[in-house]
Coordinates of all heavy atoms in Angstrom, one line a residue:
M424 N 7.2 -0.3 4.1 CA 7.5 0.4 2.9 C 6.6 -0.1 1.8 O 6.4 -1.2 1.6 CB 8.9 0.2 2.6 CG 9.5 1.3 1.7 SD 9.7 2.9 2.5 CE 10.5 3.7 1.2
N425 N 6.1 0.9 1.0 CA 5.2 0.6 0.0 C 5.9 0.8 -1.4 O 6.5 1.8 -1.6 CB 4.0 1.5 0.0 CG 2.9 1.2 -1.0 OD1 3.1 0.6 -2.0 ND2 1.7 1.7 -0.6
P426 N 5.8 -0.2 -2.3 CA 6.5 0.0 -3.6 C 5.7 1.0 -4.5 O 6.3 1.5 -5.5 CB 6.4 -1.4 -4.2 CG 5.2 -2.0 -3.6 CD 5.1 -1.5 -2.2
F427 N 4.5 1.4 -4.2 CA 3.7 2.3 -5.0 C 3.6 3.6 -4.3 O 3.3 3.7 -3.1 CB 2.3 1.7 -5.4 CG 2.4 0.5 -6.1 CD1 2.1 -0.7 -5.6 CD2 2.7 0.5 -7.5 CE1 2.1 -1.9 -6.3 CE2 2.8 -0.7 -8.2 CZ 2.5 -1.9 -7.6
I428 N 3.9 4.7 -5.0 CA 3.9 6.0 -4.4 C 3.1 6.9 -5.3 O 3.3 6.9 -6.5 CB 5.3 6.6 -4.2 CG1 6.1 5.6 -3.3 CG2 5.3 8.0 -3.7 CD1 7.6 5.9 -3.3
Q429 N 2.2 7.8 -4.7 CA 1.4 8.7 -5.6 C 1.9 10.1 -5.2 O 2.0 10.5 -4.1 CB 0.0 8.6 -5.3 CG -0.9 9.4 -6.2 CD -2.4 9.2 -6.0 OE1 -2.8 9.1 -4.9 NE2 -3.1 9.3 -7.1
V430 N 2.4 10.8 -6.2 CA 2.8 12.2 -6.1 C 2.1 13.1 -7.1 O 2.1 12.8 -8.3 CB 4.4 12.3 -6.4 CG1 4.8 13.7 -6.3 CG2 5.2 11.3 -5.5
D431 N 1.4 14.1 -6.5 CA 0.6 15.0 -7.3 C -0.2 14.4 -8.3 O -0.3 14.7 -9.5 CB 1.6 16.0 -8.1 CG 1.0 17.3 -8.6 OD1 0.0 17.6 -8.0 OD2 1.5 17.9 -9.5
G432 N -1.0 13.3 -7.9 CA -1.9 12.6 -8.7 C -1.3 11.6 -9.7 O -2.0 10.9 -10.4
R433 N 0.0 11.4 -9.7 CA 0.6 10.5 -10.6 C 1.2 9.3 -9.8 O 1.7 9.5 -8.7 CB 1.8 11.1 -11.3 CG 1.3 12.2 -12.3 CD 2.4 12.8 -13.1 NE 2.0 13.9 -13.9 CZ 2.1 15.2 -13.7 NH1 2.8 15.5 -12.6 NH2 1.7 16.1 -14.4
W434 N 1.1 8.1 -10.3 CA 1.5 6.9 -9.6 C 2.9 6.5 -10.1 O 3.2 6.6 -11.2 CB 0.5 5.7 -9.9 CG -0.6 5.8 -9.0 CD1 -1.9 6.2 -9.4 CD2 -0.7 5.5 -7.6 NE1 -2.7 6.2 -8.3 CE2 -2.1 5.7 -7.2 CE3 0.2 5.0 -6.7 CZ2 -2.5 5.5 -5.9 CZ3 -0.3 4.8 -5.4 CH2 -1.6 5.0 -5.0
Y435 N 3.8 6.1 -9.1 CA 5.1 5.6 -9.4 C 5.3 4.3 -8.7 O 4.7 4.0 -7.7 CB 6.1 6.7 -8.9 CG 6.0 8.0 -9.5 CD1 5.1 9.0 -9.1 CD2 6.9 8.4 -10.6 CE1 5.0 10.2 -9.7 CE2 6.8 9.6 -11.2 CZ 5.9 10.5 -10.7 OH 5.8 11.7 -11.4
V436 N 6.3 3.6 -9.2 CA 6.8 2.4 -8.6 C 8.2 2.6 -8.2 O 9.0 3.2 -8.9 CB 6.5 1.1 -9.4 CG1 7.4 1.2 -10.7 CG2 6.9 -0.1 -8.6
D437 N 8.6 2.1 -7.0 CA 10.0 2.2 -6.5 C 10.6 0.9 -7.1 O 10.4 -0.2 -6.7 CB 10.0 2.2 -5.0 CG 11.5 2.1 -4.5 OD1 12.4 2.0 -5.3 OD2 11.6 2.1 -3.3
V438 N 11.5 1.1 -8.2 CA 12.1 0.0 -8.8 C 13.1 -0.7 -8.0 O 13.5 -1.9 -8.3 CB 12.8 0.4 -10.2 CG1 11.7 1.0 -11.1 CG2 13.9 1.4 -10.0
N439 N 13.6 -0.2 -6.9 CA 14.5 -0.9 -6.0 C 13.8 -1.6 -4.9 O 14.5 -2.3 -4.0 CB 15.5 0.1 -5.4 CG 16.5 0.7 -6.4 OD1 16.8 0.0 -7.4 ND2 16.9 1.9 -6.3
W440 N 12.5 -1.5 -4.8 CA 11.7 -2.2 -3.7 C 11.7 -3.7 -3.9 O 11.5 -4.2 -4.9 CB 10.3 -1.6 -3.6 CG 9.5 -2.1 -2.4 CD1 9.4 -1.5 -1.3 CD2 8.6 -3.2 -2.4 NE1 8.6 -2.2 -0.4 CE2 8.1 -3.3 -1.1 CE3 8.3 -4.2 -3.3 CZ2 7.2 -4.3 -0.7 CZ3 7.5 -5.2 -2.9 CH2 7.0 -5.3 -1.6
R441 N 11.9 -4.3 -2.7 CA 11.7 -5.8 -2.7 C 11.0 -6.2 -1.4 O 11.2 -5.5 -0.3 CB 13.1 -6.5 -2.7 CG 13.9 -6.3 -4.0 CD 13.2 -6.9 -5.2 NE 14.0 -6.6 -6.4 CZ 13.8 -5.5 -7.2 NH1 12.9 -4.6 -7.0 NH2 14.5 -5.4 -8.3
P442 N 10.1 -7.2 -1.4 CA 9.3 -7.4 -0.3 C 10.2 -7.9 0.9 O 9.7 -7.7 2.1 CB 8.4 -8.6 -0.7 CG 8.7 -8.9 -2.1 CD 9.7 -8.0 -2.5
D443 N 11.3 -8.5 0.7 CA 12.2 -8.9 1.8 C 13.3 -7.9 2.2 O 14.1 -8.2 3.0 CB 12.8 -10.3 1.5 CG 13.7 -10.2 0.1 OD1 13.6 -9.2 -0.5 OD2 14.3 -11.2 -0.1
R444 N 13.2 -6.7 1.7 CA 14.2 -5.7 2.0 C 14.1 -5.3 3.5 O 13.1 -5.0 3.9 CB 14.1 -4.5 1.1 CG 15.2 -3.5 1.3 CD 15.0 -2.3 0.4 NE 15.1 -2.6 -1.0 CZ 16.2 -2.9 -1.7 NH1 17.4 -2.9 -1.1 NH2 16.2 -3.2 -3.0
T445 N 15.2 -5.4 4.2 CA 15.2 -5.0 5.6 C 16.2 -3.9 5.9 O 16.1 -3.1 6.9 CB 15.6 -6.2 6.5 OG1 16.9 -6.7 6.1 CG2 14.6 -7.2 6.4
E446 N 17.2 -3.7 5.0 CA 18.2 -2.6 5.3 C 17.6 -1.3 5.0 O 17.0 -1.1 4.0 CB 19.5 -2.9 4.6 CG 19.5 -2.6 3.1 CD 19.0 -3.6 2.2 OE1 18.5 -4.7 2.7 OE2 19.0 -3.4 1.0
L447 N 17.9 -0.4 5.9 CA 17.4 1.0 5.7 C 18.6 1.9 6.1 O 19.3 1.6 7.0 CB 16.2 1.4 6.6 CG 14.9 0.7 6.2 CD1 13.9 1.0 7.3 CD2 14.4 1.1 4.9
P448 N 18.8 3.0 5.5 CA 18.0 3.5 4.3 C 18.5 2.9 3.1 O 19.6 2.2 3.0 CB 18.4 5.0 4.3 CG 19.7 5.1 4.9 CD 19.8 4.0 5.9
Y449 N 17.8 2.9 2.0 CA 18.2 2.4 0.7 C 17.8 3.4 -0.3 O 16.9 4.2 -0.1 CB 17.6 1.0 0.4 CG 16.2 1.0 0.0 CD1 15.8 1.0 -1.3 CD2 15.2 0.8 1.0 CE1 14.4 0.9 -1.7 CE2 13.8 0.7 0.6 CZ 13.5 0.8 -0.7 OH 12.2 0.8 -1.1
R450 N 18.4 3.4 -1.5 CA 18.1 4.4 -2.5 C 16.8 4.1 -3.2 O 16.5 3.0 -3.7 CB 19.2 4.3 -3.6 CG 19.1 5.3 -4.7 CD 20.3 5.2 -5.6 NE 20.1 6.0 -6.8 CZ 20.5 7.3 -6.8 NH1 21.1 7.8 -5.8 NH2 20.3 8.0 -7.9
I451 N 15.9 5.0 -3.2 CA 14.6 4.9 -3.8 C 14.8 5.4 -5.3 O 15.3 6.5 -5.5 CB 13.5 5.7 -3.1 CG1 13.3 5.2 -1.8 CG2 12.2 5.8 -3.9 CD1 12.4 6.1 -0.9
S452 N 14.3 4.6 -6.2 CA 14.3 5.0 -7.6 C 12.9 4.8 -8.2 O 12.4 3.7 -8.2 CB 15.3 4.1 -8.4 OG 15.4 4.4 -9.7
L453 N 12.3 5.9 -8.6 CA 10.9 5.9 -9.0 C 10.8 5.9 -10.6 O 11.6 6.6 -11.3 CB 10.2 7.2 -8.5 CG 10.1 7.3 -7.0 CD1 9.4 8.6 -6.6 CD2 9.5 6.0 -6.4
R454 N 9.8 5.2 -11.0 CA 9.4 5.1 -12.4 C 7.9 5.4 -12.4 O 7.2 4.7 -11.7 CB 9.8 3.7 -13.1 CG 9.2 3.7 -14.5 CD 9.4 2.3 -15.2 NE 8.6 1.3 -14.6 CZ 7.3 1.0 -14.9 NH1 6.6 1.9 -15.6 NH2 6.7 0.1 -14.3
Q455 N 7.5 6.3 -13.3 CA 6.1 6.6 -13.4 C 5.4 5.4 -14.1 O 5.8 4.9 -15.1 CB 5.8 7.9 -14.2 CG 4.4 8.3 -14.2 CD 4.2 9.7 -14.8 OE1 5.1 10.4 -15.0 NE2 2.9 10.0 -15.1
L456 N 4.2 5.0 -13.5 CA 3.4 4.0 -14.1 C 2.8 4.5 -15.4 O 2.3 5.7 -15.5 CB 2.4 3.4 -13.2 CG 2.9 2.8 -11.8 CD1 1.7 2.3 -11.0 CD2 3.8 1.6 -12.1
N457 N 2.7 3.6 -16.4 CA 1.9 4.0 -17.6 C 0.4 3.9 -17.3 O 0.0 3.3 -16.3 CB 2.4 3.2 -18.8 CG 2.2 1.7 -18.6 OD1 1.0 1.3 -18.2 ND2 3.1 0.9 -19.1
N458 N -0.4 4.3 -18.3 CA -1.8 4.3 -18.1 C -2.4 2.9 -17.8 O -3.3 2.7 -17.0 CB -2.5 4.9 -19.3 CG -2.3 6.4 -19.4 OD1 -2.0 7.1 -18.4 ND2 -2.4 7.0 -20.5
D459 N -1.9 1.9 -18.5 CA -2.4 0.5 -18.4 C -2.1 0.0 -16.9 O -2.9 -0.6 -16.3 CB -1.8 -0.4 -19.4 CG -2.3 -0.2 -20.8 OD1 -3.5 0.4 -20.9 OD2 -1.6 -0.6 -21.7
E460 N -0.8 0.3 -16.4 CA -0.5 -0.1 -15.1 C -1.4 0.6 -14.1 O -1.8 0.0 -13.1 CB 1.0 0.2 -14.8 CG 1.9 -0.6 -15.7 CD 3.3 -0.2 -15.7 OE1 3.6 1.1 -15.5 OE2 4.2 -1.0 -15.8
V461 N -1.7 1.9 -14.2 CA -2.5 2.6 -13.3 C -3.9 2.1 -13.4 O -4.5 1.9 -12.3 CB -2.5 4.1 -13.5 CG1 -3.5 4.9 -12.7 CG2 -1.1 4.7 -13.3
E462 N -4.4 1.8 -14.5 CA -5.7 1.2 -14.6 C -5.9 -0.1 -13.9 O -6.9 -0.5 -13.3 CB -6.1 1.0 -16.1 CG -7.5 0.7 -16.4 CD -7.9 0.7 -17.9 OE1 -7.4 1.7 -18.6 OE2 -8.5 -0.2 -18.3
W463 N -4.8 -0.9 -14.0 CA -4.8 -2.2 -13.3 C -4.7 -2.1 -11.7 O -5.3 -2.8 -11.0 CB -3.7 -3.1 -13.8 CG -3.8 -4.5 -13.4 CD1 -4.4 -5.6 -14.0 CD2 -3.2 -5.0 -12.2 NE1 -4.2 -6.7 -13.3 CE2 -3.5 -6.4 -12.2 CE3 -2.4 -4.5 -11.2 CZ2 -3.0 -7.3 -11.2 CZ3 -2.0 -5.4 -10.2 CH2 -2.2 -6.7 -10.2
L464 N -3.8 -1.1 -11.3 CA -3.5 -1.0 -9.9 C -4.6 -0.4 -9.2 O -4.9 -0.9 -8.0 CB -2.2 0.0 -9.8 CG -1.8 0.4 -8.4 CD1 -1.3 -0.8 -7.6 CD2 -0.8 1.5 -8.4
T465 N -5.3 0.6 -9.7 CA -6.3 1.3 -8.9 C -7.4 0.5 -8.3 O -7.7 0.6 -7.0 CB -7.0 2.4 -9.8 OG1 -5.9 3.2 -10.3 CG2 -7.9 3.3 -9.0
P466 N -8.0 -0.5 -8.9 CA -9.0 -1.4 -8.2 C -8.4 -2.2 -7.2 O -9.0 -2.6 -6.2 CB -9.7 -2.1 -9.4 CG -9.1 -1.7 -10.7 CD -8.0 -0.7 -10.4
C467 N -7.2 -2.6 -7.4 CA -6.5 -3.5 -6.4 C -6.3 -2.8 -5.1 O -6.5 -3.3 -4.1 CB -5.1 -4.0 -7.0 SG -5.3 -5.2 -8.3
L468 N -5.8 -1.5 -5.2 CA -5.6 -0.7 -4.0 C -6.9 -0.5 -3.3 O -7.0 -0.6 -2.1 CB -5.0 0.7 -4.4 CG -3.5 0.5 -4.9 CD1 -3.1 1.9 -5.3 CD2 -2.6 0.0 -3.8
G469 N -8.0 -0.2 -4.1 CA -9.3 0.0 -3.4 C -9.7 -1.2 -2.7 O -10.2 -1.2 -1.6
E470 N -9.5 -2.4 -3.3 CA -9.9 -3.7 -2.6 C -9.0 -3.9 -1.4 O -9.5 -4.3 -0.3 CB -9.8 -4.8 -3.6 CG -10.8 -4.8 -4.7 CD -10.5 -5.8 -5.8 OE1 -9.7 -6.7 -5.6 OE2 -11.2 -5.8 -6.8
A471 N -7.8 -3.6 -1.5 CA -6.9 -3.8 -0.3 C -7.3 -2.9 0.8 O -7.2 -3.3 2.0 CB -5.5 -3.5 -0.7
I472 N -7.6 -1.7 0.5 CA -8.0 -0.7 1.6 C -9.3 -1.2 2.3 O -9.4 -1.1 3.5 CB -8.2 0.7 1.0 CG1 -6.9 1.3 0.6 CG2 -9.0 1.6 1.9 CD1 -6.9 2.6 -0.2
I473 N -10.2 -1.6 1.5 CA -11.5 -2.2 2.1 C -11.2 -3.4 3.0 O -11.7 -3.5 4.1 CB -12.5 -2.5 1.0 CG1 -13.0 -1.2 0.4 CG2 -13.7 -3.3 1.6 CD1 -13.9 -1.4 -0.9
E474 N -10.3 -4.3 2.5 CA -10.0 -5.4 3.3 C -9.3 -5.1 4.6 O -9.7 -5.6 5.7 CB -9.1 -6.4 2.5 CG -8.8 -7.7 3.3 CD -7.9 -8.6 2.6 OE1 -7.8 -8.6 1.3 OE2 -7.3 -9.5 3.2
C475 N -8.4 -4.1 4.6 CA -7.7 -3.7 5.7 C -8.7 -3.1 6.7 O -8.6 -3.3 8.0 CB -6.5 -2.7 5.4 SG -5.2 -3.6 4.6
W476 N -9.5 -2.2 6.2 CA -10.5 -1.6 7.1 C -11.4 -2.6 7.7 O -11.6 -2.5 9.0 CB -11.4 -0.7 6.2 CG -12.5 0.0 7.0 CD1 -12.4 1.2 7.6 CD2 -13.8 -0.3 7.1 NE1 -13.6 1.6 8.2 CE2 -14.6 0.6 7.9 CE3 -14.5 -1.5 6.7 CZ2 -15.8 0.5 8.3 CZ3 -15.8 -1.6 7.1 CH2 -16.5 -0.6 7.8
A477 N -11.9 -3.6 7.0 CA -12.7 -4.6 7.6 C -12.0 -5.4 8.6 O -12.6 -5.8 9.7 CB -13.3 -5.5 6.5
R478 N -10.7 -5.7 8.5 CA -9.9 -6.5 9.4 C -9.6 -5.7 10.7 O -9.6 -6.2 11.7 CB -8.7 -7.1 8.8 CG -9.1 -8.2 7.8 CD -7.9 -8.6 6.9 NE -6.9 -9.2 7.8 CZ -5.7 -9.5 7.3 NH1 -5.3 -9.2 6.0 NH2 -4.8 -10.1 8.1
L479 N -9.4 -4.4 10.4 CA -9.0 -3.5 11.6 C -10.2 -3.1 12.4 O -10.1 -3.1 13.6 CB -8.3 -2.3 11.0 CG -7.7 -1.3 11.9 CD1 -6.6 -1.9 12.8 CD2 -7.2 -0.1 11.2
F480 N -11.3 -2.8 11.8 CA -12.4 -2.4 12.5 C -13.6 -3.5 12.4 O -14.4 -3.5 11.5 CB -13.0 -1.0 12.0 CG -11.9 0.0 12.0 CD1 -11.5 0.6 10.9 CD2 -11.4 0.4 13.3 CE1 -10.5 1.6 10.9 CE2 -10.4 1.4 13.3 CZ -9.9 2.0 12.1
R481 N -13.6 -4.4 13.3 CA -14.5 -5.5 13.3 C -15.8 -5.3 13.8 O -16.8 -6.0 13.5 CB -13.8 -6.7 14.0 CG -12.6 -7.1 13.4 CD -11.8 -8.2 14.1 NE -10.5 -8.4 13.5 CZ -10.1 -9.6 13.0 NH1 -11.0 -10.6 13.1 NH2 -9.0 -9.7 12.5
D482 N -16.1 -4.1 14.5 CA -17.4 -3.7 14.8 C -17.5 -2.2 15.0 O -16.5 -1.5 14.9 CB -17.8 -4.4 16.2 CG -16.8 -4.1 17.3 OD1 -16.2 -3.1 17.4 OD2 -16.6 -5.1 18.1
D483 N -18.7 -1.7 15.2 CA -18.9 -0.3 15.2 C -18.2 0.4 16.4 O -17.6 1.5 16.3 CB -20.4 0.1 15.4 CG -21.2 -0.2 14.1 OD1 -20.6 -0.3 13.1 OD2 -22.4 -0.3 14.2
D484 N -18.0 -0.3 17.5 CA -17.3 0.3 18.6 C -15.8 0.5 18.3 O -15.2 1.5 18.7 CB -17.4 -0.7 19.9 CG -16.9 0.0 21.1 OD1 -17.4 1.1 21.5 OD2 -15.9 -0.6 21.7
S485 N -15.2 -0.4 17.6 CA -13.8 -0.3 17.2 C -13.6 0.9 16.2 O -12.6 1.5 16.3 CB -13.3 -1.6 16.7 OG -13.9 -1.9 15.5
I486 N -14.6 1.1 15.4 CA -14.5 2.3 14.5 C -14.5 3.6 15.2 O -13.7 4.5 15.0 CB -15.7 2.3 13.4 CG1 -15.6 1.1 12.6 CG2 -15.7 3.5 12.6 CD1 -16.8 0.8 11.7
E487 N -15.4 3.7 16.3 CA -15.5 4.9 17.0 C -14.4 5.1 18.1 O -14.1 6.3 18.3 CB -17.0 5.0 17.7 CG -18.1 5.0 16.7 CD -19.4 5.1 17.4 OE1 -19.5 5.5 18.5 OE2 -20.4 4.6 16.7
H488 N -14.0 4.1 18.7 CA -13.1 4.1 19.9 C -11.7 3.6 19.6 O -10.9 3.7 20.5 CB -13.8 3.5 21.1 CG -15.1 4.1 21.4 ND1 -15.3 5.4 21.8 CD2 -16.4 3.6 21.2 CE1 -16.6 5.6 22.0 NE2 -17.2 4.6 21.6
G489 N -11.5 3.0 18.5 CA -10.1 2.4 18.3 C -10.2 0.9 18.2 O -10.9 0.2 19.0
A490 N -9.4 0.4 17.3 CA -9.4 -1.1 17.2 C -8.6 -1.7 18.3 O -7.6 -1.2 18.8 CB -8.7 -1.4 15.8
V491 N -8.9 -3.0 18.6 CA -8.1 -3.8 19.5 C -7.3 -4.6 18.6 O -7.8 -5.5 17.9 CB -9.0 -4.7 20.4 CG1 -8.1 -5.6 21.3 CG2 -9.9 -3.8 21.3
L492 N -6.0 -4.4 18.5 CA -5.1 -5.0 17.6 C -4.6 -6.3 18.1 O -4.2 -6.4 19.3 CB -4.0 -4.1 17.3 CG -4.3 -2.7 16.6 CD1 -3.1 -1.9 16.5 CD2 -5.1 -2.8 15.4
P493 N -4.6 -7.3 17.3 CA -4.0 -8.6 17.7 C -2.4 -8.4 17.7 O -1.8 -7.5 17.2 CB -4.4 -9.6 16.7 CG -4.6 -8.7 15.5 CD -5.1 -7.4 15.9
D494 N -1.7 -9.4 18.4 CA -0.3 -9.4 18.4 C 0.3 -9.5 17.1 O 1.4 -9.0 16.8 CB 0.2 -10.4 19.3 CG -0.1 -10.2 20.8 OD1 -0.3 -9.0 21.1 OD2 -0.2 -11.2 21.6
E495 N -0.4 -10.3 16.2 CA 0.2 -10.5 14.9 C -0.9 -10.2 13.8 O -2.1 -10.2 14.2 CB 0.5 -12.0 14.7 CG 1.6 -12.4 15.5 CD 2.0 -13.9 15.3 OE1 1.7 -14.5 14.3 OE2 2.7 -14.4 16.2
I496 N -0.6 -9.9 12.6 CA -1.5 -9.6 11.5 C -2.0 -10.9 11.0 O -1.1 -11.7 10.7 CB -0.8 -8.7 10.4 CG1 -0.4 -7.4 11.0 CG2 -1.8 -8.5 9.3 CD1 0.4 -6.6 10.0
D497 N -3.3 -11.1 11.0 CA -3.8 -12.3 10.5 C -4.1 -12.3 9.0 O -4.2 -11.3 8.4 CB -5.1 -12.8 11.3 CG -6.2 -11.8 11.2 OD1 -5.9 -10.6 10.8 OD2 -7.3 -12.2 11.6

């Protein structure tokens, strides 16, 4: 579950989200991020996507044919 949600081009945070939350379902409560929060969040998300891509696809073959996933996320 992701604490940030984009709807129709607007970013929101789930104010009830916690990293250790395990019970499902739970009530989602969204608050729209202000401009300063969005400005701070956007580059972080871009960096995270690039990092995940690099860790998932370690070579050209894995990009074309699928990643070989480890048992655990490193």
